[in-house]
Amino acid sequence: MTIAPSTETDEPQKPVARPDATKGWASLRPLVLRLHFYAGVLVAPFLLVAALTGGFYAASFSVEKLLYADQLTVAKVGDEKLPISEQVAAARKAHPEGAIAAVRPSPEDDATTRVLLSGVEGIDETDTLAVFVDPYTAQVRGALEQYGSTGALPVRTWIDKFHANLQLGETGRLYSELAASWLWVISGGGLVLWFARRRAQRKVRGTTGRRRTLGLHGTVGVWAATGFFFLSATGLTWSTYAGANIEVLRTELHQATPAISAISAAAGDHGDHGDGSAGGGAPGEGDLDKMLAAARAEGLGDPVEIVPPADASSTYVVKQVQRSWPTKQDAVAVDPATAEVTDTLRFADFPILAKLSRWGIDAHTGVLFGLANQLLLVALALSLVVLILWGYRMWWQRGRASSFGRPIPRGAWQQVPPHLLVPALAVIAVLGYFVPLLGLPLAAFIAVDVVLGEIAHRRGKRSYGGRTETGSDTREEASGAPGA
């Protein structure tokens, strides 16, 4: 977890003998140390942005409830909710623009109904205009732009998009994928280096200077490592390149997320046309009430979303949208002509990897376990921020507070015996293929490192382990940093 570790102690430096190539860890440690160090230094700025925006996003759920309380809740809880069709009619009277994309009936006694409109001028094409209706009086309590399946409103939407892509669209997503691709590598390297140190060197109490910074850095990193691995893995599942590879792999393993058939019986044989979420059809008077009643009969409890037919040959789709535990993701297709259920999809029947992916993403975004989930994410974000700052501080302290410290000497890979180096390179190649924003930067680093090493060699300044020909001794015993 060390982000930018130091490799110098506060004691006078001493020449260190070159590790015996026959000893596995002795030969691997300099390589892990160097990789951890440079990965931390170069990737830390991306991780810092991801940590800060991720922490703000986790907190935005509570902010959203306070900021949009008037739209999200009713003024007074009544005795009986009006039919969905009447609520939608009130929303359309106030906002006749666009087309109905979906309707989310009031899921709780004090919650408003959301009528989602697509194709509204001034609203991003990937978003909808959410019209909030009092289910007891049909009073329209406001309208706000909504993004995503979690129903994010403007504040949370802005933070979400900044966290995901820096508000730069698809190109900006590369930053978050780079951070997710390297977070587990940096964390894993730090863990290996930390636990490989002698227990006495890990203590914090009684230490000062860089040793104390290192002890704090390593201790917090060890405790937060599991969370970092989780965030890295779940973040990659919906990234641009690694996410696409994961999706292909899941499909090959027959573990893709299933979709409900949304073709009406009148259109002929059923086929898999997705979940009908494209919406856009105009529901007829009373249709929504019939569709909801059919779904209720199949056991679909709140919260649900009703999606109108995409075209004349499609059905309504009523699906549960509860991402919090216990997850409710069942869905039914209902024929608009007969109000009969033509297809049913149960979350219990999802393949195991589809379930894990759903739960992982929901935990990553802070909705699976509610407030506790969000507080944990904030704690992890703060941990990552202080680890990065401590890492850079150790780098500074390594330079004796006058300048940033020297980097780890080159040539560490030359100390690794072939029986360890070859399998390691094979594993790196496979990982680099499936996680391109890990593989490509790593390949570029190795190429630059080799070129610089060759230049240094030709200038007579090539490093040998911890000692150079210029007489400057560098100690590779990272004084306790899980750093490389």
Side-chain angles (χ1 to χ4, degrees):
M1 294 108 328
T2 310
I3 301 302
S6 166
T7 58
E8 182 182 72
T9 64
D10 293 327
E11 296 80 14
Q13 296 176 346
K14 300 177 182 179
V16 178
R18 190 174 184 178
D20 184 354
T22 62
K23 297 179 180 180
W25 175 240
S27 61
L28 282 174
R29 188 179 190 283
L31 183 61
V32 176
L33 187 65
R34 182 166 170 78
L35 175 63
H36 183 67
F37 174 82
Y38 274 107
V41 169
L42 299 175
V43 181
F46 299 97
L47 288 173
L48 184 61
V49 174
L52 290 172
T53 56
F56 287 138
Y57 180 76
S60 69
F61 285 90
S62 297
V63 173
E64 185 177 75
K65 291 179 181 179
L66 293 174
L67 192 60
Y68 304 119
D70 289 344
Q71 291 84 5
L72 295 172
T73 58
V74 300
K76 181 182 179 180
V77 176
D79 296 326
E80 185 177 355
K81 295 179 180 179
L82 298 172
I84 295 298
S85 56
E86 292 186 28
Q87 299 179 49
V88 172
R92 295 301 281 157
K93 182 178 180 180
H95 293 274
E97 65 273 24
I100 296 178
V103 178
R104 292 191 174 189
S106 167
E108 299 168 349
D109 290 341
D110 63 344
T112 54
T113 292
R114 296 193 193 191
V115 179
L116 307 179
L117 306 178
S118 61
V120 177
E121 185 177 356
I123 301 297
D124 191 288
E125 61 180 10
T126 61
D127 299 348
T128 56
L129 178 68
V131 182
F132 299 87
V133 182
D134 188 319
Y136 303 102
T137 65
Q139 176 191 5
V140 175
R141 295 185 58 81
L144 295 167
E145 187 167 353
Q146 175 176 304
Y147 165 76
S149 58
T150 61
L153 298 178
V155 167
R156 183 153 61 95
T157 295
W158 193 92
I159 298 174
D160 182 13
K161 292 183 178 180
F162 192 81
H163 174 65
N165 59 31
L166 301 177
Q167 294 287 348
L168 297 175
E170 286 299 310
T171 301
R173 292 182 65 186
L174 297 178
Y175 116 84
S176 57
E177 183 168 355
L178 178 69
S181 298
W182 281 93
L183 178 57
W184 69 273
V185 176
I186 298 171
S187 300
L191 277 179
V192 169
L193 291 164
W194 180 255
F195 284 108
R197 298 180 69 243
R198 293 187 294 275
R199 183 178 296 274
Q201 293 177 319
R202 303 179 199 156
K203 67 178 182 179
V204 177
R205 187 174 301 176
T207 58
T208 59
R210 198 192 63 80
R211 288 288 299 276
R212 180 171 179 78
T213 306
L214 174 62
L216 292 169
H217 179 92
T219 301
V220 172
V222 167
W223 281 104
T226 300
F228 293 158
F229 279 117
F230 173 80
L231 291 176
S232 179
T234 53
L236 288 174
T237 58
W238 77 92
S239 61
T240 301
Y241 297 106
N245 289 331
I246 292 172
E247 189 64 30
V248 170
L249 181 61
R250 283 177 53 195
T251 301
E252 292 294 328
L253 296 174
H254 305 289
Q255 294 289 310
T257 300
I260 195 168
S261 171
I263 296 296
S264 69
D269 294 336
H270 293 285
D272 187 359
H273 279 220
D275 62 5
S277 59
E285 185 69 28
D287 281 357
L288 293 172
D289 300 301
K290 295 177 183 178
M291 303 305 110
L292 183 58
R296 298 296 194 206
E298 291 294 320
L300 271 68
D302 286 324
V304 298
E305 179 176 279
I306 308 169
V307 181
D311 50 46
S313 64
S314 300
T315 66
Y316 282 86
V317 173
V318 183
K319 53 187 177 182
Q320 292 177 310
V321 290
Q322 179 167 304
R323 298 287 185 81
S324 59
W325 189 268
T327 300
K328 295 180 180 179
Q329 294 286 292
D330 292 352
V332 295
V334 186
D335 193 303
T338 63
E340 294 181 355
V341 173
T342 59
D343 194 21
T344 302
L345 180 64
R346 302 291 182 185
F347 184 71
D349 297 328
F350 278 29
I352 184 61
L353 291 185
K355 289 181 179 179
L356 291 176
S357 178
R358 177 74 276 150
W359 290 328
I361 291 174
D362 292 339
H364 185 112
T365 55
V367 299
L368 187 60
F369 298 111
L371 181 60
N373 195 162
Q374 294 151 25
L375 290 174
L376 179 59
L377 290 174
V378 170
L380 283 173
L382 291 175
S383 298
L384 186 53
V385 169
V386 297
L387 285 171
I388 292 170
L389 296 180
W390 276 334
Y392 278 119
R393 176 171 173 75
M394 284 188 293
W395 191 20
W396 174 268
Q397 290 173 322
R398 183 170 179 252
R400 301 298 183 186
S402 61
S403 62
F404 279 111
R406 295 182 300 277
I408 309 300
R410 283 186 291 270
W413 64 273
Q414 296 174 342
Q415 302 179 35
V416 183
H419 70 277
L420 294 177
L421 183 60
V422 172
L425 291 176
V427 171
I428 291 173
V430 173
L431 286 174
Y433 176 79
F434 284 101
V435 189
L437 291 191
L438 169 65
L440 292 176
L442 181 59
F445 165 73
I446 293 174
V448 171
D449 197 49
V450 169
V451 171
L452 293 178
E454 183 62 23
I455 293 175
H457 172 65
R458 294 191 177 190
R459 291 178 178 176
K461 298 179 180 179
R462 186 179 181 186
S463 292
Y464 293 93
R467 191 160 48 85
T468 66
E469 291 182 348
T470 61
S472 175
D473 294 322
T474 303
R475 188 170 182 179
E476 291 199 49
E477 175 66 32
S479 126

